[in-house]
Amino acid sequence: MFFTRRQLACPLGGGLLPVAAGKLDGWLDEHDVLDGSPFLLDPGGRYDVALNRYFLAGLGLLAANTQAAAAYDLKKFLAFLQDNRGGRSWRDATAADRAAFRQWRLADPGGPRVALTTWDREVATVSEFYRWAVQERYVSVSPVVQRQSRGRDPRRGAGGTPAEASHQGPRNNLVWLPAGVYRQWRDVGVRGFTVAGLPDPGFRGRYASRNAAYADLMLRTGLRLSEQTSLSVFEVPEAVPGVAFARTWLPGPIAKGSSARAVYIPAASLKDIQDYVEIERADAAGRARQAGRYEQIRDPLIVEDRARPVVITGGQRVKVSGLGHAERARLLIRVPGGLEPAALWLNEQGMPSRPSGWREVFGNASDRCARLGLRVACHPHALRHSFAVITLEQLWRGHIQELAVMNPAQRQTYQMVFGDPLNWVRVRLGHRSIETTQIYLHTLQELEMETRMALVPGDWEPAGIHPADLSEAAAGGAPGG
């Protein structure tokens, strides 16, 4: 599996590419293929135009991370056909092939034995691919057997859910960190402190302040990894003295599912971000400018006036808020002395960071915690879950306290004015459906039950009575006689 990138050296022969050597960039432009789009090659290095068209026509409007995840899942099935089913093509795959793949992925002693939730995602991915392939008439029938969805109007065409999906995965087993656990992970893993909370003189991590500010922002806003990584300096709000939260706007082109929404950044997090911008970010951008890295960016989009964040692309003026992930990666600002990226988060080379880089930061922080004997790990999406659980719990606590002292008419007015805490969290997370947000209610129920279980007495037996005496009493006998 590979990702499209222009201005690469091309082989002079071999017939493995869909166009002649030296004309690949023109072919990509003609077919509107963006840099970063996934594509698959067969074991012989050949490019299947029909197969890879799926990532342009079938998934082209989805976020880059979603496209990449679908490509990785599809690759597993295609590799299985090649390696374990006699080199069978995806066009010739049958239901028996799909059943064999399921057996290998879930139950084969020599297989990976993936979790049920992983399998459900994989079978859904392959099912969507073949649904598209049938629609485009590349194949006549899908190898993924479908179960008709309840209540589906048959006049709307074939559909349903994959019959091989387990529907048994632990969907409510969310990974989230309480505030105290998160601070310990951040301070030890990211900032380089000891478990005792003291600076570790042997810590060699760079950009610890940047990484801590990034993690804090994710915890306090619930932004997705791709959303937060694509923020520009134009989305950083001004701090207002005495105001606990500063409001900014997440534009639709970088929000998953175009879920544009308001984001509230705590004053403390905003202060850390501003410190990073003024020190670490400015240093990284200055060194990259001196090295001439920004002049090497292909087809840059340049904001000439910082007060008016617009660029010229395709002969038209476009606001920065209208640019997507890939366009923001080549978005620059004219500053005294040259150019610098508009991206808020820069890597050590002064270039816009990528989601993969932040996954590595989180992984390294968790590894450091493990080396020091601290049994806590964290990945980016766990902080989004943490934001949802902690915020929902706090909102419901205050909501119930307010409603408890009101009469029915006052409660109705209060609900009309302040709404439902669950819906407020839904909007902050960018969920389309309230059902998606309801998964966090299960976590709150678990927390409530854990609290109640802590009140259960540990000693069930009256002091001074032996268990054998209790057994005799239950059988009708008298203790001691």
Side-chain angles (χ1 to χ4, degrees):
M1 175 175 163
F2 302 90
F3 294 89
T4 302
R5 187 155 62 94
R6 287 168 171 79
Q7 292 187 323
L8 292 176
C10 296
L12 297 178
L16 301 181
L17 299 174
V19 294
K23 298 183 178 180
L24 182 58
D25 286 4
W27 185 89
L28 295 174
D29 293 338
E30 180 183 349
H31 290 80
D32 297 322
V33 181
L34 299 177
D35 280 357
S37 299
F39 65 92
L40 302 175
L41 299 179
D42 71 11
R46 287 174 289 272
Y47 182 96
D48 188 328
V49 175
L51 169 64
N52 286 292
R53 183 170 173 265
Y54 176 62
F55 302 115
L56 307 178
L59 298 178
L61 296 179
L62 298 181
N65 287 348
T66 304
Q67 293 186 43
Y72 278 117
D73 285 344
L74 184 57
K75 173 194 169 185
K76 294 170 187 173
F77 178 60
L78 301 183
F80 179 80
L81 294 178
Q82 177 69 34
D83 299 336
N84 302 93
R85 306 296 284 183
R88 182 164 293 170
S89 165
W90 61 272
R91 295 174 184 265
D92 302 321
T94 66
D97 295 324
R98 187 62 193 175
F101 183 63
R102 182 183 192 276
Q103 175 75 10
W104 179 66
R105 294 291 287 171
L106 291 178
D108 193 312
R113 297 194 183 190
V114 299
L116 291 176
T117 48
T118 300
W119 168 255
D120 287 347
R121 188 198 68 235
E122 292 175 353
V123 73
T125 297
V126 177
S127 176
E128 285 300 316
F129 166 72
Y130 275 103
R131 185 176 300 175
W132 171 84
V134 170
Q135 179 181 342
E136 297 296 317
R137 299 184 179 181
Y138 290 126
V139 298
S140 58
V141 63
S142 170
V144 183
V145 179
Q146 298 292 308
R147 178 188 295 117
Q148 190 69 28
S149 297
R150 293 180 179 179
R152 184 179 180 90
D153 187 347
R155 293 172 297 180
R156 296 181 60 186
T161 57
E164 297 175 43
S166 71
H167 306 290
Q168 298 177 10
R171 301 179 185 276
N172 294 320
N173 188 22
L174 297 177
V175 177
W176 69 283
L177 278 66
V181 176
Y182 164 74
R183 287 193 296 268
Q184 193 174 37
W185 172 84
R186 179 200 62 192
D187 291 345
V188 174
V190 178
R191 289 179 168 168
F193 285 29
T194 66
V195 177
L198 301 175
D200 184 353
F203 179 64
R204 293 293 180 267
R206 299 185 61 189
Y207 292 86
S209 298
R210 178 202 65 176
N211 298 343
Y214 185 96
D216 283 349
L217 180 64
M218 183 167 282
L219 175 74
R220 300 302 303 275
T221 62
L223 287 170
R224 297 178 177 90
L225 178 64
S226 60
E227 295 171 340
Q228 182 162 311
T229 303
S230 288
L231 290 176
S232 76
V233 293
F234 300 110
E235 276 91 48
V236 179
E238 293 290 336
V240 179
V243 177
F245 289 84
R247 184 178 183 273
T248 188
W249 186 256
L250 181 70
I254 63 170
K256 184 176 180 180
S258 299
S259 57
R261 59 194 185 272
V263 177
Y264 295 88
I265 303 178
S269 294
L270 185 57
K271 176 63 167 57
D272 290 339
I273 292 172
Q274 291 172 334
D275 289 343
Y276 150 71
V277 169
E278 294 175 2
I279 302 174
E280 289 180 323
R281 185 183 183 279
D283 178 66
R287 286 186 285 105
R289 191 160 44 245
Q290 291 179 354
R293 294 194 180 100
Y294 303 141
E295 283 73 15
Q296 300 174 15
I297 295 179
R298 182 179 183 270
D299 296 331
L301 299 173
I302 301 177
V303 176
E304 298 291 348
D305 183 358
R306 197 182 188 110
R308 302 177 62 192
V310 297
V311 296
I312 305 297
T313 177
Q316 297 181 340
R317 296 168 62 88
V318 179
K319 293 181 179 179
V320 169
S321 59
L323 301 178
H325 299 284
E327 293 168 313
R328 285 175 174 237
R330 51 192 178 93
L331 181 63
L332 302 170
I333 304 174
R334 185 81 63 187
V335 297
L339 299 168
E340 73 173 37
L344 171 61
W345 305 103
L346 304 183
N347 59 25
E348 288 80 354
Q349 288 74 43
M351 303 299 288
S353 64
R354 297 173 179 266
S356 59
W358 288 110
R359 293 191 190 95
E360 184 178 355
V361 168
F362 276 68
N364 291 340
S366 297
D367 290 344
R368 172 176 163 79
C369 289
R371 289 196 302 270
L372 295 181
L374 189 61
R375 299 184 63 182
V376 56
C378 181
H379 56 78
H381 211 70
L383 296 188
R384 178 172 163 85
H385 290 327
S386 302
F387 164 82
V389 172
I390 296 172
T391 303
L392 189 57
E393 196 277 338
Q394 292 294 322
L395 290 177
W396 269 118
R397 185 188 299 273
H399 205 69
I400 292 173
Q401 289 177 347
E402 293 291 337
L403 294 176
V405 297
M406 297 180 183
N407 59 42
Q410 291 171 328
R411 292 191 189 112
Q412 183 178 7
T413 302
Y414 184 86
Q415 293 278 37
M416 292 174 62
V417 173
F418 294 103
D420 182 355
L422 186 64
N423 189 60
W424 193 90
V425 172
R426 178 193 69 80
V427 175
R428 299 285 75 76
L429 293 174
H431 289 162
R432 290 184 180 274
S433 171
I434 195 69
E435 284 76 13
T436 305
T437 318
Q438 285 176 342
I439 62 174
Y440 299 108
L441 292 178
H442 173 82
T443 302
L444 294 185
Q445 293 166 356
E446 288 288 331
L447 289 174
E448 177 71 12
M449 188 56 64
E450 289 177 9
T451 302
R452 293 177 181 272
M453 290 292 291
L455 301 178
V456 175
D459 184 4
W460 286 81
E461 301 161 2
I465 298 182
H466 193 275
D469 298 333
L470 295 177
S471 299
E472 294 179 6

